[in-house]
């Protein structure tokens, strides 16, 4: 016997199915309840609510006719461009502040004042400067993603093994060489985590910008159908936005696992 | 030594503002987009002396606080119920995880459809947005409680309620506060969305009007006030954390 008896009995000892179906019960129950409630209380031509089957029909239509595809690419494109810009700025600043304690202390007040700024407050400003379109969305996403990457990148650089830095000193490596050979490679797994978190934020911010102001992407599609008093379409967009957000995060987590596996959070 | 660094970082911030002033004075930055700091200060002073700005600031801050407080209470209560029960976690947690990355601002059109352009709509959006981080981190906090503590409480014959209050809650407190901190950030983001889309009087709606009228000093004044609210709330939650988790 190499199997020790479990200390705590699981809720259901035997699992007859390879897939655990229990997590699906709640969503199914919610959809079922919504369908019944909609049939009983919501008129078919309601301006604010729709029955799940109406939403499903709209969902399928937009999935097939390419509406979702076009709008998703617009949103993801803006989110990724903003992340690239903001992430690189944040990374550069984070590495610098992580390496130099003096620089970190001198800029601390500026960083602490700018960091809690709600990104939505910048929507009118970005609109004033850039007008409607891709640029204003990228600018806001970039501003938002600077901070998480800066903070986590700074922490990652600080974790650099001090002995490696001593070795670098002995070897008389230049600052640039030290950066590219020791500091950055050591910090890469944690920098990736920073970018993954920032990517999730970037997606949320771009949808928000589209909802509030910018006439493009998923957020605008949702806003438009809601203002056209087509709740089934609006809800279908909402479901799709949820799926995109979830799928996007899943992909990033899988990439992270694939690249760094068990190394996560390990300094080695 | 700390004082020196404080003044150094103050001086750095002042230098940046000085550069900004210089850029506007030399005409390097267009006054339409980037008004001089002195003009922004004038707009702030004018807004405060006329009494319009404090009222709007009060309305916005009240919305953030009420929505966030409501969400935190509900989030902790529900999170505790789900978190202490392994059975509930198996059934409910995956659905919550699925909804976690959903941008709450996407729900604003639906909330408007249900509640109209009303104060309740803005509050509901804020509360809903701040609810998720609080709920999820509370569940995490409760499920990460040392299992032996649960066993001890069983041996001691504690009721479920006193077990939550005396053992699980203190142990989950750091997670709960972390969730409340995220919730506060989300509230601040959503109050602007709610005010703009719902046309409710407040700083968020004010900056939209300033943008439409090309009054950039007013726009910057509003942005600075929102930034200050964010900064103040970050400090407040730091203080709360240091008070509540002092025993750690």
């Amino acid at each position: 016997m190499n199997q020790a008896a479990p200390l705590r009995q699981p809720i259901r000892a035997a699992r007859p199915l390879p897939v655990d179906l229990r997590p699906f019960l709640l969503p199914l129950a919610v959809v079922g309840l919504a369908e019944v409630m909609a049939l009983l209380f919501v008129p078919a031509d309601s301006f604010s609510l729709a029955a799940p089957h109406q939403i499903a029909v709209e969902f399928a239509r937009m999935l097939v006719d390419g509406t979702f595809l076009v709008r998703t690419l617009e949103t993801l494109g803006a989110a990724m461009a903003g992340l690239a810009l903001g992430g690189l700025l944040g990374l550069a600043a984070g590495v610098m502040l992580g390496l130099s304690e003096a620089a970190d202390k001198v800029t601390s007040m500026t960083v602490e004042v700018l960091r809690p700024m709600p990104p939505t407050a910048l929507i009118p400003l970005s609109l004033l400067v850039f007008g409607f379109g891709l640029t204003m969305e990228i600018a806001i996403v970039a501003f938002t993603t600077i901070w998480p990457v800066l903070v986590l990148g700074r922490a990652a650089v600080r974790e650099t093994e001090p002995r490696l830095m001593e070795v670098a000193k002995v070897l008389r490596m230049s600052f640039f060489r030290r950066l590219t050979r020791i500091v950055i490679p050591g910090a890469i797994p944690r920098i990736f985590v920073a970018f993954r978190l920032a990517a999730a934020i970037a997606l949320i911010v771009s949808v928000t910008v589209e909802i509030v102001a910018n006439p493009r992407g998923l957020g605008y599609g949702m806003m438009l159908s809601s203002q056209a008093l087509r709740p089934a379409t609006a809800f279908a967009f909402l479901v799709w936005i949820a799926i995109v957000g979830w799928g996007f995060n899943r992909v990033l987590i899988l990439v992270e696992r694939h690249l760094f596996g068990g190394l996560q959070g390990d300094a080695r | 030594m700390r004082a020196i660094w404080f003044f150094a970082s103050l001086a750095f911030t002042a230098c940046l503002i000085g550069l900004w002033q210089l850029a506007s004075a030399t005409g390097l930055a267009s006054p339409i987009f980037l008004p001089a700091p002195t003009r922004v200060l004038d707009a702030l002073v004018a807004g405060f002396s006329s009494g319009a700005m404090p009222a709007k600031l009060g309305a916005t801050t009240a919305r953030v606080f009420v929505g966030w407080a409501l969400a935190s209470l509900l989030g902790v209560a529900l999170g505790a119920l789900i978190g202490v029960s392994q059975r509930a976690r198996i059934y409910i947690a995956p659905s919550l995880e699925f909804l976690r990355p959903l941008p709450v601002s996407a729900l604003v059109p639906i909330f408007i459809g249900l509640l109209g352009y009303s104060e309740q709509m803005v509050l509901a959006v804020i509360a809903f947005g701040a609810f998720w981080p609080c709920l999820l981190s509370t569940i995490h906090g409760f499920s990460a409680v040392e299992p032996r503590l649960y066993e001890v409480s069983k041996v001691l014959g504690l009721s479920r309620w006193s077990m939550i209050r005396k053992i699980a809650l203190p142990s989950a407190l750091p997670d709960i506060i972390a969730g409340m901190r995220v919730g506060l950030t989300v509230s601040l983001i959503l109050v602007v969305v709610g005010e703009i889309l719902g046309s409710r009087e407040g700083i968020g709606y004010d900056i939209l009007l300033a943008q439409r009228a090309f009054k950039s000093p007013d726009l910057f004044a509003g942005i600075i006030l929102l930034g200050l609210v964010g900064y103040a709330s970050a400090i407040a939650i730091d203080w709360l954390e240091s008070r509540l988790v002092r025993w750690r």
Side-chain angles (χ1 to χ4, degrees):
Chain A
M1 277 281 285
N2 52 10
Q3 256 187 328
L7 284 172
R8 293 212 288 174
Q9 283 293 320
I11 301 291
R12 203 187 288 168
R15 277 193 195 158
L17 289 163
V19 183
D20 190 355
L21 291 176
R22 287 173 294 175
F24 294 98
L25 283 176
L26 179 67
L28 280 176
V30 169
V31 171
L33 189 69
E35 184 70 55
V36 172
M37 298 295 272
L39 285 176
L40 288 176
F41 301 113
V42 180
D45 55 352
S46 163
F47 286 156
S48 54
L49 289 171
H53 74 266
Q54 295 169 311
I55 299 169
V57 169
E58 279 298 284
F59 188 91
R61 179 182 69 77
M62 291 193 284
L63 195 61
V64 173
D65 75 4
T67 309
F68 279 158
L69 184 70
V70 173
R71 297 227 180 255
T72 308
L73 289 179
E74 282 174 352
T75 299
L76 281 180
M80 290 304 96
L83 174 68
L85 184 63
L88 286 180
L89 283 174
L91 185 62
V95 169
M96 206 179 76
L97 301 185
L99 287 175
S100 156
E101 205 180 336
D104 186 36
K105 280 182 171 162
V106 167
T107 53
S108 68
M109 183 179 286
T110 313
V111 171
E112 289 313 310
V113 168
L114 285 177
R115 197 155 70 100
M117 174 82 69
T120 43
L122 299 174
I123 294 176
L125 176 63
S126 195
L127 205 54
L128 184 70
V129 177
F130 300 111
F132 293 110
L134 186 62
T135 326
M136 71 84 81
E137 199 170 327
I138 290 178
I140 295 171
V141 172
F143 176 84
T144 317
T145 47
I146 285 178
W147 310 110
V149 176
L150 186 155
V151 170
L152 295 171
R154 183 174 62 185
V157 167
R158 280 204 191 126
E159 291 280 295
T160 307
E161 172 69 48
R163 278 187 210 161
L164 287 179
M165 293 306 265
E166 283 165 25
V167 170
K169 214 175 252 176
V170 172
L171 292 176
R172 295 190 183 170
M173 285 168 104
S174 70
F175 173 77
F176 184 72
R177 227 176 132 73
R178 242 185 281 176
L179 201 63
T180 50
R181 292 292 159 88
I182 294 178
V183 175
I184 302 275
I188 280 244
R190 298 181 66 183
I191 289 173
F192 189 88
V193 175
F195 269 84
R196 173 166 67 76
L197 296 174
I201 296 171
L203 187 62
I204 292 179
V205 170
S206 14
V207 172
T208 304
V209 172
E210 290 158 3
I211 292 261
V212 174
N214 210 13
R216 58 194 304 287
L218 290 169
Y220 181 65
M222 159 123 203
M223 202 63 202
L224 198 64
S225 33
S226 156
Q227 281 171 348
L229 303 178
R230 291 167 63 193
T233 321
F235 274 102
F237 263 113
L238 184 66
V239 173
W240 178 250
I241 290 172
I243 292 174
V244 169
W246 180 82
F248 187 60
N249 279 310
R250 279 312 298 169
V251 168
L252 289 172
I253 288 173
L254 289 178
V255 170
E256 183 181 313
R257 269 192 211 150
H258 179 73
L259 287 178
F260 306 114
L263 274 172
Q264 215 46 76
D266 225 349
R268 273 166 291 170
Chain B
M1 199 60 203
R2 276 192 67 177
I4 295 174
W5 282 120
F6 174 79
F7 283 114
S9 74
L10 191 68
F12 181 75
T13 313
C15 277
L16 287 184
I17 297 176
L19 276 178
W20 172 9
Q21 177 76 38
L22 205 66
S24 339
T26 54
L28 204 65
S30 157
I32 301 171
F33 301 144
L34 193 69
T38 44
R39 285 180 62 210
V40 177
L41 194 68
D42 286 346
L44 273 173
V45 170
F48 269 92
S49 55
S50 75
M53 210 73 123
K56 287 170 188 161
L57 185 63
T60 301
T61 318
R63 280 181 197 122
V64 169
F65 185 75
V66 172
W68 171 75
L70 219 71
S72 301
L73 279 177
L74 269 176
V76 172
L78 261 175
L81 284 177
I82 298 171
V84 290
S85 152
Q86 200 192 355
R87 191 185 297 263
R89 285 211 304 274
I90 289 173
Y91 284 97
I92 300 174
S95 303
L96 300 180
E97 285 299 329
F98 175 72
L99 290 177
R100 182 208 282 268
L102 178 71
V104 176
S105 47
L107 287 162
V108 176
I110 286 163
F111 276 78
I112 290 178
L114 291 173
L115 298 169
Y117 297 97
S118 64
E119 193 63 38
Q120 293 92 306
M121 183 278 289
V122 182
L123 279 181
V125 168
I126 296 170
F128 192 83
F131 170 72
W132 287 104
C134 195
L135 176 78
L136 289 166
S137 58
T138 304
I139 294 177
H140 177 257
F142 273 86
S143 56
V145 172
E146 170 72 36
R148 281 192 205 155
L149 288 180
Y150 281 135
E151 283 161 23
V152 168
S153 68
K154 213 172 259 175
V155 172
L156 291 174
L158 290 181
S159 69
R160 175 159 275 212
W161 165 241
S162 55
M163 191 275 288
I164 289 179
R165 205 166 52 88
K166 290 182 178 150
I167 291 180
L169 194 60
S171 160
L173 205 54
D175 283 306
I176 293 174
I177 291 181
M180 285 168 72
R181 181 193 299 272
V182 178
L184 198 53
T185 312
V186 173
S187 304
L188 206 61
I189 291 172
L190 288 175
V191 78
V192 180
V193 176
E195 281 180 9
I196 287 181
L197 293 178
S199 305
R200 305 298 302 178
E201 190 84 338
I203 301 288
Y205 187 50
D206 215 36
I207 56 174
L208 183 76
L209 294 183
Q211 177 256 317
R212 284 189 184 155
F214 284 91
K215 286 185 186 164
S216 56
D218 289 352
L219 173 57
F220 270 83
I223 292 176
I224 287 172
L225 282 181
L226 284 170
L228 283 179
V229 174
Y231 187 54
S233 57
I235 290 176
I237 204 125
D238 279 344
W239 177 82
L240 189 73
E241 184 171 25
S242 67
R243 290 297 300 267
L244 287 176
V245 237
R246 197 160 30 176
W247 49 273
R248 282 244 150 171

